[in-house]
Amino acid sequence: MNKHKISFIICANGLGHFKRCIRVIGSILEVRNYNIDIICQKWQRDVFCSTNLINHKNINWHLNFMEPGVVWPPSFLDENLIIWFRRIEHLLYNSNLIISDNLTMPLKKYKNVVLMGSFLWSDVFEYAFPNNYNIKRFIDLERSLLEENRPDMICIKDIAMDNVIKFTNAVKVPWMFENKSLNNKDNSIKKMKIGFLPGRKNIDKNIIRLAINLKANVDVDIFFPKYFIDVLKGYNIKMANVFRFSNEEFNQLDLILGRPGIGLITDCLKSNTFLLPIYEKNNLEMIHNSFIIEKNGWGSELNGVYDVDYV
């Protein structure tokens, strides 16, 4: 008898989507001997290559099918926003369950789809680009799929956006880490440690200037992800502290300046690290998340001072 198979479709828009799915997959494999297919980008997997799950015998990887596709900032080409799904259709035929991270297109062909995420791309794109023809087509298609299917959507109850509740059968869950009691920081210390995590696609001249000013003018230890250190090499700045997104590294930080996606917010809550959101203008998800962060005292809204201007 064939093993039960679950396919995970992971949005290529950053690391938070990947980390969330990996947490869920890990929990499943602890209690069930299922086969798991993961459809994602190679760069996402490579960041977490030291994770034990990467080489798990039950996991089958399908890499680099998700770009070009649905990401922020969007490509305005219709084939990238809609037709991307054709590249992976054949991978899903034998799946008993499809878990699609923030991507509704599988609903067009399959009924055994559960969505996962706390926002809808149609809301984000409509807010930023309401007059673009291809964006409108995407919005109409996504909303018609949601209306026809009203799928289950696993979402974080503290931060799910209104239309997730309105258009899906929202399955509200707590934050995805084992213990909601937060770690205590040792405030007796040494130099402050700051993580600068603006997001892989969020790098422009304003973000670079902020990083250089922090490094040059503040007597703290600053940690940068490798992708950002690679950018800064051209500025003759010595960036010795590489941040690799491990739990231990998050626990060592006192403050994070970062893009407030669900993945980073989860890591900040888990490690009790104060978050200062920095994000691009006109992104409704980031605006919403920053408001929730401020409201709950998880961090402080910078009121757009360091917004990255894409539009």
Side-chain angles (χ1 to χ4, degrees), residues 65-239:
F65 287 90
M66 300 305 296
E67 291 181 317
V70 182
V71 294
W72 177 273
S75 162
F76 296 113
L77 297 175
D78 181 53
E79 60 266 26
N80 292 340
L81 289 172
I82 294 175
I83 301 177
W84 67 270
F85 179 62
R86 293 180 186 173
R87 298 195 295 267
I88 68 167
E89 266 186 79
H90 67 285
L91 300 174
L92 303 171
Y93 290 145
N94 298 319
S95 300
N96 299 99
L97 176 66
I98 298 166
I99 298 182
S100 184
D101 185 280
N102 270 116
L103 297 168
T104 53
M105 209 57 61
L107 293 166
K108 193 173 181 181
K109 186 171 180 70
Y110 295 100
K111 297 299 182 185
N112 58 336
V113 177
V114 171
L115 302 180
M116 185 159 61
S118 296
F119 73 94
L120 298 171
W121 280 112
S122 50
D123 293 338
V124 173
F125 290 164
E126 183 177 53
Y127 183 86
F129 312 105
N131 300 315
N132 181 276
Y133 173 76
N134 285 332
I135 292 289
K136 286 185 195 176
R137 285 194 65 203
F138 173 86
I139 292 166
D140 290 345
L141 178 56
E142 175 160 281
R143 288 184 178 159
S144 68
L145 289 171
L146 292 171
E147 185 177 348
E148 290 166 16
N149 296 276
R150 194 166 183 87
D152 290 344
M153 188 165 186
I154 301 166
C155 59
I156 304 296
K157 64 180 179 181
D158 287 349
I159 207 165
M161 294 180 68
D162 289 346
N163 276 353
V164 169
I165 312 302
K166 180 178 178 181
F167 291 119
T168 77
N169 178 30
V171 181
K172 300 175 187 177
V173 299
W175 292 94
M176 292 187 182
F177 52 86
E178 291 178 5
N179 189 349
K180 188 69 187 285
S181 65
L182 304 177
N183 297 325
N184 292 318
K185 300 284 184 183
D186 181 359
N187 295 322
S188 61
I189 5 191
K190 23 95 183 158
K191 242 186 222 182
M192 189 177 190
K193 296 181 186 299
I194 296 177
F196 192 82
L197 309 174
R200 190 177 70 105
K201 296 182 178 179
N202 244 30
I203 300 169
D204 82 342
K205 61 186 178 183
N206 295 326
I207 290 292
I208 293 169
R209 189 182 304 119
L210 174 58
I212 291 172
N213 286 341
L214 275 173
K215 185 66 179 172
N217 299 315
V218 185
D219 186 24
V220 296
D221 285 332
I222 303 180
F223 292 77
F224 298 87
K226 185 177 183 306
Y227 62 77
F228 198 77
I229 288 178
D230 291 343
V231 170
L232 290 169
K233 282 178 182 173
Y235 292 82
N236 296 318
I237 304 289
K238 185 181 178 183
M239 299 293 174

Side-chain angles (χ1 to χ4, degrees), residues 260-271:
I262 296 292
L264 183 59
I265 297 171
T266 301
D267 286 318
C268 287
L269 288 176
K270 184 178 180 180
S271 60

Side-chain angles (χ1 to χ4, degrees), residues 6-17:
I6 304 177
S7 293
F8 281 78
I9 304 169
I10 303 179
C11 180
N13 195 61
L15 293 173
H17 300 270

Side-chain angles (χ1 to χ4, degrees), residues 9-75:
I9 304 169
I10 303 179
C11 180
N13 195 61
L15 293 173
H17 300 270
F18 184 89
K19 288 185 73 174
R20 173 170 59 209
C21 289
I22 286 295
R23 287 186 181 110
V24 173
I25 291 165
S27 298
I28 291 171
L29 291 176
E30 282 179 6
V31 296
R32 293 286 187 270
N33 188 33
Y34 290 165
N35 284 332
I36 306 289
D37 276 15
I38 300 178
I39 305 168
C40 68
Q41 291 303 104
K42 183 176 183 296
W43 67 261
Q44 291 173 305
R45 187 184 71 170
D46 287 350
V47 172
F48 298 98
C49 60
S50 61
T51 304
N52 291 335
L53 275 178
I54 297 299
N55 297 311
H56 195 287
K57 63 183 178 62
N58 288 31
I59 293 180
N60 185 30
W61 295 91
H62 304 280
L63 301 175
N64 295 335
F65 287 90
M66 300 305 296
E67 291 181 317
V70 182
V71 294
W72 177 273
S75 162

